[in-house]
Amino acid sequence: MCGIVALIGSREAGPQLLEGLRQLEYRGYDSAGIATVDPDGLHCLKAEGKLVNLIARFEAEGAPGHCGIGHTRWATHGKPEERNAHPHLDGSGQLAVVQNGIIENHRPLREGLQAEGVRFLSDTDTEVIPHLVARRLAHQETLGAKPSPALLLQAVREVLPGLHGAYALAVVWSRVPGALVVARRQAPLLIGLGEGEFLCASDTPALAGFTRTILPMEDGEVALLTPLGIELYNASGERVQRTPSLLTGTEHMADKRSFRHFMLKEIHEQPETAALWVARHLPEDALVALPLDESVYAGVENIQILACGTSRHASQVGAHLLEQLAGVPTNVFYASEFRYAPPPLRPHTLTIGVTQSGETADTLAALAMERERSQGLADPAFAPRLLGITNRPESSLGRLVPHVLDIGAGIEVGVAATKTFLGQLLAFYGLALAFAERRQGQPGVPDLASLRRLSSQLRGLPAVLRELVEDHDARCAELAHLFAETRDVIFLGRGINYPIAMEGALKLKEISYIHAEGYPAGEMKHGPIALLDSRVPVVSIAVPGMVFDKVLSNAQEAKARDAQLVGVAPACPDSELFDLLLPLPPVEELLSPLLTVIPMQLLSYHIAAHRGLDVDQPRNLAKSVTVE
Ligand code: F6R
């Protein structure tokens, strides 16, 4: 949550900071601000609402200086109002701080400062930081220290150990306009190295237009940036040198092309996501080829998957595949719940963290806890074995776990995950095939011939998806007006398509603000059926296979209560029961989630777009949730 940028160099900082914030707006967009420093002092501008409001202020008022910091906010402490927008200043107005994360002990810190007479202007947790740093600076100055970059660095380093929680932060001080101090603990921060200038940001899109040379900061590191160079210190306070890495490809740039919204563009990119996955991991001469070490598979007896939101729905499909195709008992947990009620440790367990952003605090914390729980045990059967599935291998997840499966979907800007969901599904198909290949002969594992058939059907997926996306885009656009007054929608699915019903409901809720429930179709009659009447549409996913007849019967039960039935099903005599049909091509049930999710995404998209809503930046949400 929240995006931060910081720049120091030879050109005007303001425009570059605003461009960086534009690239990070997906991380939060309820207010934004920048602070620059020049020999005349500190210039701070803030605005409530979207970034355009801040840009308008900058154009009217300006903010000179070659060094500055910026922030786009997703509110945690304090309402989304201008006074709570970052940067936050010390009492003298000379020192400014932006922060992404949560300072968990901000309350006692604030009370202590208030007791000393400090006046707070915001309700945020962050505001304690400028006051604490200013206090350290004042103390050093009473001992004779002169304002200098080193003094600013020292003051920040003295304050950091007293902050509890996760943070990435940047600090400027108008008394040393040629210095910038940045630090991170459990929240992302990367330094971009330009020519005689440095840009620091929460994520690569803000850096990609500036430089391709990046230095991701490690947990606990602090850096002093001046136009002359970087001084980097590790968590133990030692000076460290590291070789920067290069950003490759164009996937780090956000570009909407001719689409009305990023979300629609990203839905249309899914055939390409699948094509890339197939080209990389499903070569003709092998069942599947994943770039994973054999130690990931060897002797695994159980799998547990930790994830949130849409990633959790992909994981539920994954669990179905790992159990039904590879015969490995698999459990999926809400990462946010796992930490507080973990199951007893089991030997030979593979733990998989699934997060498109690689920055979800709940998922990272659950993985870290799992690593610590098992690390202390003498029995090697309990040795931690962690795998991450992500779209951002360079993220915090990539640094936390030893093995990473990169879904390679390219940057996703729309807050509602679409192509990364498909990428996660494909990762699980690959993983289940890889386990099944290694577990031949074990109970419930299909033989190689059946697995090869599945893998060859997966190779044909991009072409099928291409047609499906085009077709359903047009259909859903035509249907959207029928949902203009809708207040509640029920999504039903069974078996491998139950998570897709959940995903359909989540997509609709988050971008259209229509209340929606995803339910296992057979559970309707145990309660939720009481909600049904002619005003509540029911979207039913019915794919020929093990549960087809059952799902149709459940749909009949809904129809008998006057519900409007929308079918996601093949066009066949059975599907005549639906009032509206979003037709599917013939597909094997086990592969069907890769197709059934498309009408879910497009229906939600067009309903929200028809209502004139901000599809890419829905209210109250952010793309990467870096707070617990
Ligand atoms: C919904 C959505 C969220 C995320 C969730 C986890 O469209 O995107 O539910 O899936 O916040 O995010 P990641 O995958 O980054 O861990």
Side-chain angles (χ1 to χ4, degrees):
M1 295 329 204
C2 305
I4 67 173
V5 286
L7 176 80
I8 185 157
S10 52
R11 48 180 159 155
E12 279 299 306
Q16 186 69 45
L17 291 172
L18 292 170
E19 173 54 22
L21 291 180
R22 192 177 71 79
Q23 296 287 345
L24 294 181
E25 215 184 356
Y26 70 89
R27 296 176 73 87
Y29 34 81
D30 59 41
S31 58
I34 57 170
T36 58
V37 286
D38 73 354
D40 290 337
L42 191 134
H43 311 274
C44 185
L45 297 176
K46 303 184 192 190
E48 189 178 326
K50 295 277 172 75
L51 186 63
V52 286
N53 301 344
L54 179 66
I55 293 173
R57 282 203 68 180
F58 177 75
E59 281 165 3
E61 299 168 41
H66 296 167
C67 173
I69 56 180
H71 188 273
T72 179
R73 181 167 187 252
W74 183 85
T76 56
H77 292 66
K79 287 190 172 165
E81 294 168 355
E82 189 175 318
R83 69 195 184 89
N84 289 325
H86 298 215
H88 292 289
L89 310 186
D90 72 320
S92 72
Q94 294 180 330
L95 188 113
V97 173
V98 289
Q99 193 258 141
N100 162 215
I102 288 189
I103 307 304
E104 286 169 357
N105 59 335
H106 72 102
R107 212 174 295 283
L109 292 173
R110 174 186 276 249
E111 284 163 8
L113 287 160
Q114 280 169 332
E116 289 177 19
V118 171
R119 218 179 112 236
F120 279 77
L121 302 178
S122 78
D123 302 325
T124 65
D125 52 336
T126 301
E127 198 185 345
V128 296
I129 304 173
H131 294 302
L132 290 170
V133 176
R135 220 169 49 148
R136 296 309 311 158
L137 286 168
H139 175 70
Q140 292 299 334
E141 287 192 284
T142 59
L143 300 178
K146 296 273 171 276
S148 69
L151 183 64
L152 179 62
L153 174 69
Q154 182 188 346
V156 174
R157 286 174 68 186
E158 282 172 2
V159 166
L160 294 179
L163 304 180
H164 300 170
Y167 56 76
L169 56 84
V171 187
V172 287
W173 187 28
S174 62
R175 294 180 64 196
V176 280
L180 178 64
V181 176
V182 293
R184 69 157 289 221
R185 183 161 78 206
Q186 293 164 28
L189 201 56
L190 306 109
I191 301 173
L193 289 77
E195 282 180 21
E197 54 184 1
F198 301 100
L199 185 74
C200 203
S202 305
D203 198 0
T204 49
L207 300 171
F210 172 84
T211 180
R212 296 258 140 191
T213 313
I214 61 156
L215 189 67
M217 288 180 74
E218 300 283 346
D219 210 41
E221 284 186 342
V222 185
L224 168 66
L225 310 181
T226 68
L228 299 178
I230 303 175
E231 275 179 35
L232 187 64
Y233 296 86
N234 66 16
S236 324
E238 294 147 355
R239 179 102 187 248
V240 285
Q241 304 270 3
R242 247 200 332 275
T243 313
S245 49
L246 275 186
L247 283 182
T248 51
T250 53
E251 67 274 20
H252 298 284
M253 303 293 280
D255 175 11
K256 215 188 293 177
R257 304 212 309 265
S258 56
F259 289 94
R260 188 168 155 209
H261 293 103
F262 276 108
M263 181 180 175
L264 187 60
K265 182 192 95 155
E266 287 154 4
I267 292 173
H268 276 265
E269 281 172 348
Q270 291 178 108
E272 186 57 22
T273 307
L276 280 172
W277 176 262
V278 167
R280 286 178 188 145
H281 304 301
L282 292 175
E284 293 287 346
D285 58 352
L287 182 68
V288 61
L290 298 182
L292 292 178
D293 200 87
E294 271 310 309
S295 64
V296 171
Y297 308 102
V300 167
E301 289 176 5
N302 312 284
I303 295 179
Q304 56 185 9
I305 311 179
L306 313 176
C308 300
T310 286
S311 294
R312 186 174 157 277
H313 298 150
S315 305
Q316 287 176 300
V317 174
H320 187 105
L321 296 170
L322 287 161
E323 293 198 329
Q324 304 307 318
L325 263 185
V328 192
T330 305
N331 291 306
V332 181
F333 295 90
Y334 285 105
S336 54
E337 291 290 313
F338 184 85
R339 264 177 104 188
Y340 304 102
L345 285 170
R346 284 176 302 177
H348 307 295
T349 297
L350 172 66
T351 302
I352 309 179
V354 183
T355 158
Q356 59 80 22
S357 64
E359 300 295 352
T360 297
D362 288 319
T363 307
L364 297 178
L367 284 166
M369 188 198 81
E370 200 52 358
R371 187 180 57 184
E372 274 155 36
R373 271 210 308 164
S374 38
Q375 233 159 16
L377 301 176
D379 185 345
F382 290 93
R385 205 191 294 220
L386 301 181
L387 167 68
I389 296 181
T390 184
N391 197 32
R392 308 301 298 272
E394 74 286 5
S395 63
S396 302
L397 174 83
R399 293 190 287 281
L400 177 70
V401 299
H403 306 283
V404 170
L405 195 47
D406 176 7
I407 62 174
I411 189 151
E412 184 177 72
V413 173
V415 162
T418 52
K419 65 175 177 171
T420 53
F421 177 76
L422 188 91
Q424 291 168 342
L425 289 186
L426 286 164
F428 276 117
Y429 279 94
L431 203 59
L433 283 172
F435 267 107
E437 191 176 23
R438 286 161 180 78
R439 293 168 64 89
Q440 282 297 294
Q442 299 219 23
V445 181
D447 62 15
L448 277 178
S450 316
L451 297 177
R452 279 197 201 101
R453 204 170 41 77
L454 271 183
S455 148
S456 102
Q457 285 179 19
L458 280 170
R459 281 189 204 100
L461 179 72
V464 180
L465 277 176
R466 217 159 273 132
E467 219 170 292
L468 192 70
V469 170
E470 290 301 331
D471 180 32
H472 283 273
D473 190 7
R475 275 176 203 275
C476 293
E478 270 175 33
L479 295 181
H481 71 278
L482 299 174
F483 298 84
E485 303 300 324
T486 300
R487 296 176 64 118
D488 306 279
V489 180
I490 307 281
F491 289 78
L492 300 180
R494 276 185 103 140
I496 198 167
N497 276 301
Y498 160 50
I500 302 300
M502 305 276 286
E503 177 58 8
L506 178 62
K507 285 282 95 79
L508 188 67
K509 276 189 264 219
E510 66 181 332
I511 59 170
S512 72
Y513 318 142
I514 295 174
H515 167 247
E517 301 267 359
Y519 242 82
E523 279 293 302
M524 274 300 282
K525 56 186 177 292
H526 298 293
I529 201 162
L531 293 171
L532 298 187
D533 63 24
S534 59
R535 289 163 304 175
V536 181
V538 171
V539 180
S540 176
I541 307 173
V543 177
M546 205 151 47
V547 289
F548 188 49
D549 294 339
K550 306 271 176 223
V551 176
L552 292 177
S553 308
N554 300 141
Q556 289 281 12
E557 290 155 14
K559 196 175 173 90
R561 272 85 188 168
D562 291 334
Q564 284 290 311
L565 276 189
V566 182
V568 176
C572 63
D574 285 320
S575 59
E576 279 162 18
L577 109 102
F578 296 113
D579 300 298
L580 297 170
L581 183 68
L582 296 171
L584 293 173
V587 59
E588 183 147 340
E589 193 178 21
L590 205 61
L591 299 179
S592 62
L594 295 161
L595 304 189
T596 52
V597 72
I598 303 294
M600 301 289 142
Q601 297 169 343
L602 283 163
L603 193 62
S604 302
Y605 169 78
H606 282 292
I607 291 174
H610 182 79
R611 292 182 170 215
L613 296 171
D614 190 346
V615 173
D616 287 332
Q617 295 183 341
R619 69 183 180 208
N620 305 338
L621 294 176
K623 182 96 191 135
S624 57
V625 187
T626 55
V627 293
E628 259 196 84

